[in-house]
Amino acid sequence: MSVALYPGSFDPIHLGHIDVIEQALELFGTVVVVTMHNPAKPSGAFTLDERQAMIAESLAGCPGVSVESFPGLAIDAAVRFGAEVIVKGLRSATDFDVEQQMALTNHRVGGVRTVFVPASPELSYISSRYIREIAQYGHDLSRLVPVPVASRLSQLSARRANP
Ligand code: PNS
């Protein structure tokens, strides 16, 4: 078994991400979930620390999983956390186009291979972007996110209503 790095912006983590982590655990035995900055998504709902805290709460007691954050590149995070491989989930052809380019670049520059796992069909529509948008209006999102995240999202809408 080996160590896989699962990097993402996780703003916030949702059930599609959890599914990828479960698949990666089956394949590699150990998964380091790393909250990172995506330069294409500069403004998020949660800080890096808040995202990492929600992931840690959602995955508490899950054997083989560790939760980290890292301010730089995924290839440097792989070295830092002793990961031999990067894991990414794919929901669609659009995801593939972006992820293939990153995977090839990361391999050429850092020598780290990326393994893609397909999102389970019943979860493949879930996106952090729409979760953030709907949360602003106070709807219950517990069918899309782990319980600790659902409660943080409800605080987000309360914060918006009473700034
Ligand atoms: O959940 P996301 O937003 O799709 O995750 C994208 C993320 C954070 C994994 C990606 O932007 C990333 O790897 N960021 C770290 C910076 C990096 O390594 N850039 C070089 C890409 S080839």
Side-chain angles (χ1 to χ4, degrees):
M1 294 306 241
S2 46
V3 178
L5 185 91
Y6 181 37
S9 44
F10 303 123
D11 188 28
I13 192 165
H14 56 62
L15 296 184
H17 295 130
I18 302 288
D19 168 54
V20 172
I21 293 165
E22 285 169 352
Q23 293 192 53
L25 274 173
E26 274 181 39
L27 291 168
F28 301 106
T30 302
V31 179
V32 186
V33 182
V34 186
T35 308
M36 303 199 73
H37 178 62
N38 181 346
K41 301 175 184 170
S43 59
F46 296 101
T47 66
L48 217 60
D49 285 348
E50 287 173 323
R51 296 177 211 174
Q52 194 190 349
M54 284 188 283
I55 298 170
E57 282 177 52
S58 303
L59 297 170
C62 187
V65 177
S66 60
V67 178
E68 307 282 353
S69 65
F70 192 79
L73 297 174
I75 51 176
D76 292 332
V79 173
R80 167 76 180 78
F81 299 117
E84 293 96 356
V85 70
I86 293 171
V87 168
K88 293 289 190 77
L90 292 183
R91 295 169 298 185
S92 65
T94 311
D95 277 356
F96 177 76
D97 286 344
V98 176
E99 295 297 346
Q100 185 197 34
Q101 208 174 5
M102 274 198 280
L104 294 172
T105 306
N106 283 335
H107 181 246
R108 178 57 64 98
V109 177
V112 186
R113 295 262 183 217
T114 298
V115 171
F116 297 135
V117 299
S120 295
E122 69 277 14
L123 300 170
S124 63
Y125 65 90
I126 304 178
S127 102
S128 295
R129 176 184 162 190
Y130 295 126
I131 288 168
R132 289 195 302 274
E133 183 179 341
I134 294 168
Q136 298 288 321
Y137 296 89
H139 286 274
D140 174 30
L141 285 154
S142 55
R143 294 173 74 181
L144 306 185
V145 298
V147 173
V149 179
S151 70
R152 289 295 283 268
L153 287 168
S154 60
Q155 291 163 16
L156 199 68
S157 68
R159 221 191 288 167
R160 184 175 181 261
N162 307 296

